[in-house]
Structure formats: C-alpha cells, structure tokens
Amino acid sequence: MNRHIEFERLHNFRDLGGYRTEDGLTVRWGRLYRSDSLGKLQGEDWDRFLSLGVRTVIDLRYPWEIEGKGRVPEHASLAYHNLSIEHRPYDQASLGADVETGRFLADRFLEVAHDGVEELREALRTIAAPDGGPLVFHCASGKDRTGLLAALVLALLGVPEDVIVEDFTLTELATDRLIADWRAANPGREITWPGYGRAPADIMRLFLADLSARHGSVRGYATELLGADEELVAALRAGLLEPAVEPATAP
C-alpha cells in the first residue's frame, strides 16, 4: 500500500485513507490528505493536484512563512484557511547536536497542543464540515504541525495508537528530499541538528503519552480543550469512514 502521491516538488503528500479503526471501519481513500507546503505547486504538479478534486486547504504555517514561501495558488474550486497552530517559533536546523530528537519535539508538540487550541478547534470543525472534502492540511515539511493534526483526527476516528505512530514515521521516506529543499533555500548555511527532517516513532509515542497523562486520553484532551463533543466526532466519522472491504476468499 503506497499512500504517497508523487509530485515533482512536493515530497510528503499522503492520502490518509485505508487505516482501520478499532470498531472495524476504514478511513475513506481520496477524502483527507496531508502534505508539505503547497506553496511549491506549479506546472504539472498543479495539474496533478487539481485532478485530486481537493476543495479545502488548511495551511498550518505562520503568516510570515506564507509571505516568504507562498501559499497554494488561488482557484475557484478551493476554500483556503490559514490556521497557524504553532505560537512559539524556533529554528530546528540550528539546534545543537546534543538535543535529543524524540523528547525535544514531543515537548514542542505538547506546547502546540495547548497554545494552538483555537486554531486546532477550527481545523477539526473544518475537516468535519459535510461539504468541505476532499481536504488537505499542510505545514512546511508536512511533519510536525501536520503530524500533530493528523494524529488528533485519526485518534478521534478510532484508529489505534500504533497505526497513528506508524503514519507519523512515513515522513522518513521524504527526509532526504526535505533536507535537499532546505539546503537549496539556505545557501551558505549548514544543518547542525541531526534530527532535522526526521520522524522517529518516539516523537509521536511520547507526545500521545504526555497528552494522555494530562487529559486522560487524546479524546479527553480534544473534548476538554477543542470542543470535540459527540456531535463533532460523529460528523468526522460520517464524512471520513466507511465499512471495511474484506479481501475475497478463494472458493
């Protein structure tokens, strides 16, 4: 199963379909995508993107990132939302080599989960809207801010934690190209942090454990702080889940 969708300039565009929930349903294919920056879309990549029928884009980056790097091109078929969930900027590339990747980024994720409550609440409502899909949400690399929102959505759908962690780690398949993009955009600079662009499983495991320790569960956090009540969760499930299709058995 290859959920990466190939583009020339996008390196981490993925379909979140196909994941099984604990109650036996499946996330619909072609309904919810996660990505690195859509500001890189042009030419054949833009045509490929439009062919997916995406109707809604959630851009999780800071406004200053959008100003400097661009946003998804405007199009009559697209509704665009800038919901900057991170409130404490930092430069990953310039961190010291002694900064431990898993613990450091899990702590940053926890900050975002509490700093960005308003934006995350709006993101969930946008994803749950009955007429907004197919939808894609993205940040710069499609790893941290995007990974956090993906984890919340999958958890609310009932996808098991080990699958959520596995989905997060798939960014590792794009790490080399994301690093190459950074170097092309930052001539004369060097990456000093070995964790840049990496997505080891312990980042997401630690973050989910921390969230559960504070709020009882990921669902508890989302209910308590994001307003993810039964109605919103039901809307997410209605729009994104379908019965699992079992493989045919030989006669």
Side-chain angles (χ1 to χ4, degrees):
M1 182 186 300
N2 181 13
R3 59 185 61 256
H4 278 79
I5 296 177
E6 294 296 327
F7 291 89
E8 181 181 352
R9 294 173 58 83
L10 301 184
H11 311 310
N12 204 14
F13 195 106
R14 312 203 306 259
D15 194 327
L16 285 169
Y19 289 132
R20 289 284 190 100
T21 66
E22 292 175 334
D23 58 353
L25 300 177
T26 302
V27 181
R28 298 176 187 270
W29 288 101
R31 178 73 182 186
L32 187 64
Y33 302 97
R34 53 177 294 173
S35 181
D36 47 328
S37 174
L38 299 184
K40 297 182 285 186
L41 284 171
Q42 59 181 264
E44 292 185 3
D45 276 358
W46 176 235
D47 294 337
R48 177 69 185 277
F49 176 78
L50 289 177
S51 75
L52 297 174
V54 172
R55 298 177 63 185
T56 304
V57 173
I58 298 177
D59 189 335
L60 302 173
R61 296 173 299 161
Y62 290 98
W64 53 263
E65 289 179 278
I66 297 167
E67 183 178 352
K69 299 293 186 180
R71 49 153 281 184
V72 65
E74 293 189 26
H75 193 271
S77 67
L78 289 177
Y80 175 79
H81 305 266
N82 177 212
L83 300 172
S84 180
I85 64 174
E86 184 181 279
H87 293 192
R88 309 185 209 185
Y90 62 101
D91 184 2
Q92 288 191 18
S94 65
L95 294 172
D98 60 335
V99 175
E100 198 276 317
T101 303
R103 183 69 270 167
F104 177 82
L105 285 181
D107 289 345
R108 303 293 76 72
F109 282 27
L110 197 63
E111 288 176 354
V112 172
H114 292 95
D115 291 348
V117 164
E118 181 179 340
E119 295 86 359
L120 286 166
R121 181 187 299 121
E122 185 60 28
L124 289 180
R125 289 174 177 171
T126 301
I127 294 169
D131 56 352
L135 179 149
V136 56
F137 55 91
H138 75 91
C139 55
S141 296
K143 179 173 77 76
D144 297 329
R145 290 166 286 185
T146 296
L148 188 158
L149 181 55
L152 294 180
V153 173
L154 293 176
L156 291 175
L157 292 175
V159 173
E161 182 174 310
D162 61 334
V163 177
I164 295 172
V165 171
E166 181 182 1
D167 177 75
F168 176 75
T169 65
L170 291 179
T171 289
E172 290 276 347
L173 298 175
T175 294
D176 289 347
R177 287 171 291 170
L178 294 171
I179 289 174
D181 271 4
W182 185 93
R183 287 177 171 152
N186 295 274
R189 289 186 61 192
E190 289 296 331
I191 296 173
T192 58
W193 190 43
Y196 183 85
R198 299 292 312 281
D202 57 339
I203 298 172
M204 185 55 66
R205 286 201 189 100
L206 287 167
F207 166 62
L208 295 176
D210 291 345
L211 211 58
S212 294
R214 290 202 182 190
H215 301 280
S217 64
V218 177
R219 176 70 181 269
Y221 155 78
T223 301
E224 178 184 345
L225 295 186
L226 305 183
D229 55 17
E230 291 184 5
E231 182 179 353
L232 186 143
V233 173
L236 284 172
R237 290 173 59 85
L240 295 175
L241 297 181
E242 63 184 359
V245 177
E246 299 296 338
T249 57

